[in-house]
Amino acid sequence: QVQLVESGGGLVQAGGSLRLSCAASGSIFSINAMGMGWYRRTPGKPRELVATITSGGSTNYADSVKGRFTISRDNAKNTLYLQMNSLKPEDTAVYYCRAEDPYLRAAWGQGTQVTVSS
């Protein structure tokens, strides 16, 4: 069971940028062997997929963030990143990191608040 520790959330003005980090530990698997993703949740709405990256390096993005957000990983540091540019107030949410190992066991981070002001 992998543990995920997030950082990088905060308050930013519209048009600004943030980078979220998700450090993985406690697993025999490195993140390059796992599927990783970022999700977000706002009150009254279901959790939404933001971006994913497979063990093979393929990425997918929600249409609402495509062209603005980039998901990446640093395998040596066992860390997943979400670079968020051109932020909009609609991006305000709690963002969660998720990892799935080769046995299909999933783990979630604690969530970090991102607030974009207008």
Side-chain angles (χ1 to χ4, degrees), residues 8-10 12 18 20 84 87 91-95 112-116:
V12 66
L18 285 173
L20 306 183
M84 304 184 293
L87 283 162
D91 296 317
T92 296
V94 178
Y95 284 72
T112 185
Q113 177 70 47
V114 172
T115 302
V116 184

Side-chain angles (χ1 to χ4, degrees), residues 3-55:
Q3 291 84 52
L4 306 174
V5 179
E6 299 171 329
S7 61
L11 174 65
V12 66
Q13 292 183 328
S17 298
L18 285 173
R19 189 180 73 163
L20 306 183
S21 299
C22 174
S25 63
S27 174
I28 63 171
F29 300 105
S30 299
I31 64 168
N32 61 300
M34 297 189 287
M36 308 288 293
W38 290 96
Y39 297 73
R40 65 187 181 187
R41 177 76 186 272
T42 57
K45 297 174 63 179
R47 188 154 55 193
E48 174 190 20
L49 173 66
V50 176
T52 61
I53 183 168
T54 69
S55 60

